[in-house]
Amino acid sequence: MKQTSTFSPGRRKLLIGGASAAVALGVFGAASWEQLTNYRATWIERVVRENLPGIDLDAASLQAFIKEMLASERMQRTEVKVTVFADRFVPWLPAHISKARDGLEGLERHVLTEYLIGSNFFRVPDPKREQIVYSGTIPACRNPFVYSNPSTFSKA
């Protein structure tokens, strides 16, 4: 009796191709998921680095700044998350919608200003010759009574 195989070479190729595609999609999906979950962090880093070309930025303090920015109230707003997402993954959108463009420009300005003020950028003679280190936001007013509870003062 002749045994016939119901498994054809064409079917085998199809299954191997499908399995390979599934593995490739899985790897791509994992990489994309990392990018999707970190899109705001990479956006903040990109804004700082692109606006300070040729300047040596301390990597550890830049990461601390990114964490600080991500925790800020402004970066938690839904419209900010949507704007950053659009700039990161659909860059033509802010370029063609003025409200998104204006919001993006204001957010970029905010991120860069916070980094520059909280770093040694303005305290070194030449930022291109020294490493820039972010040390945190500095209160604008050094008056010790600004942060005191006003009810602790007696009224004369």
Side-chain angles (χ1 to χ4, degrees), residues 7-94:
F7 206 72
S8 71
R11 186 174 176 190
R12 180 174 289 156
K13 287 179 184 177
L14 179 67
L15 288 173
I16 289 172
S20 298
V23 168
L25 283 173
V27 169
F28 177 74
S32 296
W33 181 254
E34 174 68 25
Q35 198 174 32
L36 278 173
T37 57
N38 260 348
Y39 74 93
R40 290 183 307 141
T42 57
W43 181 85
I44 292 169
E45 183 172 0
R46 190 190 76 202
V47 166
V48 172
R49 289 192 184 278
E50 284 181 358
N51 284 286
L52 300 174
I55 295 189
D56 181 24
L57 305 175
D58 175 59
S61 67
L62 178 58
Q63 292 307 310
F65 169 73
I66 291 169
K67 284 182 181 179
E68 190 176 301
M69 284 303 299
L70 289 174
S72 72
E73 184 180 327
R74 185 171 185 174
M75 291 299 288
Q76 297 301 320
R77 296 181 191 158
T78 302
E79 63 269 14
V80 169
K81 290 178 181 181
V82 169
T83 301
V84 170
F85 184 87
D87 184 51
R88 186 80 174 90
F89 297 105
V90 193
W92 60 267
L93 187 67

